[in-house]
Amino acid sequence: MSEHNPLSVHDDALSVELRALAVQVVPDPAFAQALEAKLAQSPLSYSRNATVRFHLREWATVAAAAMFVILIGFTTITPLRAWAQQVIEGFFDQLTVDENQIVYNDVDMNTIPRVTTLEAADALEAEFGFDVLLPTAGLQGAQFENGFYSASPPSAFLSLSFRAPEMLIVIYQLRSHEGENENWTQVGASATILDRMITFGGKDVLAQSVQGAWGWQPPMGAPTLAPGQGLNEVMEWDSTIPMRRLRWQQGEITYEVSASALGASAALPTLEDLIVIAEGLR
Amino acid sequence: MVSLTAPQAVRKADDQRVRDAFTLIYRQHLNAVYRYVRVRVDSDEEAQDVTAQTFESALGSFRTFRGEADVIAWLFGIARHKVADHIHKHYRRQVLPLDEKSDLIDPLPLLEEQVGIQVQLERVGAALDGLATERAEALRLHLFGGLSFEETAAVMGKRETAVKMLISRGLADLRLRLKQEEKEA
């Protein structure tokens, strides 16, 4: 067999030696017992802190801002939680209040790499080091609009937008341990987070969904979200805002499908609709 | 006299079930996690520290963890990040560039002449650090963590075929590096 034949790894002499070395590496029994005892006494849950802020609400521009918010969020790398902490808190960080300070730093959108075709998005796989997945079902006629990405450490993400009349669907993949803007995963106390098992990559995977978003209202008015302009506003969680998100994780990759209804009479895709998209990612 | 209310009693029983389940996971996976961590750090003490952090972190999230099919991926995902945090904060091994022009000589026996698990571990760990990141990680998870190809793929967010290739090429690179070091010794 060739040196690079993956089927030969089991018989590879070095592999055998390394396995033999590995089995000799064992934790000190006293340490193992002490740690087990310590874990038996450790609390099973933890508490969150949230900052209370005065809130404003105006949902009309939130949906359109949602995509922009995602993009801004991913390009502003603040000191962020590690992937392990994201596992601790689920896929959404539910605050104990419905008010939150939403902060996004100034970003010139023209400096963010973009793709204009799905083929170009697929080709990013080599840069990312993880498989780029594209939708094969459930877009309900939405057409690919554009995509933004970053393959530069510490962030590695791809965001693909699909637009239909009165609907925007965004699919993104993020190497979760690289971090993301924490506002994006925060939801208000009144948000209802739904757990659903989906079939992804041939496995049953836990996913979570939430409807709503952070909004604001006059008289302060909707913040201007022109490209390159930062945002620093107190917002209130509003579960009636027509935006629905489905989020899950496999390995170190976080995936999210979000749908926003644009326009007062537009229908928001259901959770089942998002699941169809998620399970159809290839 | 203090007595539990009905909800408190239910909660107490539920807590015990959660703890019992986690204890099983701890006992089943401690050695594998420790081995994976140990090959990435420089001492037993550091490995114990990071391993403890891993399981403490896992316990903190265990109540909400429901992906039974991905326990290993979940646990090793935590371990990977605890190790990364530790390395980032404390230490990085000195890594020498791989001389790709070195001759490929029969690698056996690469480790026979060395004594002591600690010495071997240090040598292998340093050699792994000199490989391409993903090849080294695949080798650590598969050979030291004892993960299957599928499990390794799940942890790394890759397809199984990609992991097999990483491991195959990683072994080739590692063999070359170890042989080079032996020649220089």
Side-chain angles (χ1 to χ4, degrees):
Chain A
M1 292 179 173
S2 71
E3 189 170 66
H4 295 301
N5 185 336
L7 296 180
S8 70
V9 295
H10 291 300
D11 298 323
D12 183 279
L14 179 57
S15 174
V16 171
E17 289 205 41
L18 291 174
R19 290 179 191 275
L21 172 61
V23 296
Q24 297 181 76
V25 178
V26 292
D28 181 273
F31 158 75
Q33 291 175 8
L35 179 55
E36 182 172 334
K38 181 181 180 183
L39 292 171
Q41 301 300 319
S42 297
L44 287 173
S45 60
Y46 64 103
S47 61
R48 294 188 188 87
N49 292 317
T51 305
V52 179
R53 293 283 188 270
F54 184 71
H55 66 270
L56 301 169
R57 181 187 322 188
E58 166 52 63
W59 76 262
T61 62
V62 170
M67 181 179 74
F68 185 76
V69 161
I70 295 170
L71 303 174
I72 287 290
F74 288 157
T75 58
T76 56
I77 307 300
T78 62
L80 296 167
R81 300 166 298 171
W83 181 85
Q85 288 177 301
Q86 192 160 10
V87 171
I88 290 175
E89 298 165 2
F91 302 123
F92 295 104
D93 182 7
Q94 188 155 30
L95 307 182
T96 59
V97 295
D98 274 341
E99 294 76 33
N100 197 13
Q101 190 81 23
I102 306 297
V103 180
Y104 294 93
N105 296 329
D106 291 351
V107 174
D108 182 356
M109 296 299 292
N110 292 322
T111 65
I112 302 175
R114 65 183 68 192
V115 291
T116 55
T117 67
L118 290 177
E119 289 74 21
D122 196 34
L124 291 173
E125 220 168 77
E127 286 188 62
F128 287 153
F130 59 81
D131 296 336
V132 171
L133 302 183
L134 303 176
T136 63
L139 290 179
Q140 301 181 26
Q143 299 297 313
F144 176 68
E145 185 175 59
N146 57 35
F148 292 87
Y149 71 93
S150 172
S152 302
S155 64
F157 75 88
L158 172 65
S159 173
L160 302 174
S161 300
F162 300 82
R163 190 178 287 270
E166 300 191 322
M167 183 171 66
L168 173 68
I169 294 174
V170 180
I171 299 170
Y172 75 76
Q173 299 150 70
L174 168 72
R175 186 153 52 209
S176 56
H177 74 278
E178 308 281 356
E180 62 185 317
N181 188 310
E182 63 179 6
N183 286 156
W184 183 239
T185 54
Q186 290 171 339
V187 299
S190 63
T192 299
I193 300 174
L194 301 176
D195 291 345
R196 289 293 297 272
M197 296 301 292
I198 67 172
T199 301
F200 184 74
K203 290 185 173 182
D204 290 336
V205 175
L206 172 66
Q208 290 187 323
S209 176
V210 67
Q211 180 186 334
W214 300 98
W216 60 91
Q217 68 178 2
M220 289 187 65
T224 301
L225 296 176
Q229 183 161 343
L231 178 68
N232 189 338
E233 295 288 342
V234 174
M235 296 190 178
E236 180 187 20
W237 181 263
D238 186 347
S239 293
T240 67
I241 290 175
M243 181 178 187
R244 194 186 310 279
R245 300 165 58 189
L246 179 69
R247 192 173 170 94
W248 69 102
Q249 197 161 353
Q250 188 166 67
E252 61 177 357
I253 309 299
T254 293
Y255 302 89
E256 180 167 331
V257 175
S258 71
S260 301
L262 309 176
S265 61
L268 178 66
T270 65
L271 173 55
E272 296 306 319
D273 291 335
L274 296 192
I275 291 175
V276 169
I277 298 174
E279 293 185 334
L281 291 175
R282 296 287 184 271
Chain B
M1 183 178 72
V2 177
S3 61
L4 295 176
T5 63
Q8 288 175 327
V10 169
R11 179 76 174 180
K12 189 176 176 64
D14 183 58
D15 281 358
Q16 190 55 51
R17 279 193 291 271
V18 171
R19 288 191 185 283
D20 290 345
F22 187 81
T23 298
L24 289 176
I25 289 177
Y26 170 78
R27 292 174 179 172
Q28 185 176 4
H29 297 292
L30 170 64
N31 285 2
V33 170
Y34 181 82
R35 285 172 185 144
Y36 166 77
V37 171
R38 182 60 184 88
V39 78
R40 295 202 64 185
V41 298
D42 268 1
S43 68
D44 290 346
E45 290 72 29
E46 290 179 59
Q48 289 175 5
D49 191 30
V50 176
T51 300
Q53 291 175 30
T54 297
F55 281 100
E56 287 166 355
S57 179
L59 177 63
S61 68
F62 187 62
R63 182 183 287 282
T64 59
F65 175 72
R66 300 174 202 183
E68 287 79 5
D70 284 289
V71 167
I72 288 177
W74 166 71
L75 192 57
F76 272 83
I78 297 174
R80 293 179 81 197
H81 290 95
K82 290 301 181 184
V83 169
D85 287 347
H86 176 83
I87 291 174
H88 180 71
K89 287 178 187 175
H90 295 105
Y91 180 79
R92 292 208 68 86
R93 274 192 275 247
Q94 195 73 15
V95 176
L96 299 176
L98 179 66
D99 178 1
E100 296 184 355
K101 295 181 181 177
S102 297
D103 294 330
L104 270 175
I105 302 172
D106 184 348
L108 295 179
L110 287 172
L111 305 176
E112 256 187 18
E113 297 180 356
Q114 298 192 356
V115 297
I117 297 172
Q118 300 298 329
V119 173
Q120 294 180 47
L121 205 54
E122 178 65 24
R123 183 171 177 239
V124 169
L128 285 168
D129 286 349
L131 304 188
T133 303
E134 291 197 321
R135 292 180 183 182
E137 187 63 0
L139 287 175
R140 295 186 194 107
L141 289 168
H142 182 61
L143 296 177
F144 284 85
L147 304 188
S148 66
F149 291 128
E150 182 184 9
E151 290 164 345
T152 302
V155 172
M156 296 184 70
K158 292 188 169 296
R159 297 194 177 104
E160 191 172 325
T161 50
V163 165
K164 289 177 179 177
M165 190 61 67
L166 285 174
I167 290 173
S168 178
R169 291 177 175 169
L171 283 170
D173 290 348
L174 185 61
R175 185 182 304 112
L176 183 62
R177 180 169 286 274
L178 289 171
K179 179 54 65 177
Q180 179 185 11
E181 289 174 3
E182 190 176 285
K183 288 172 62 179
E184 291 174 354

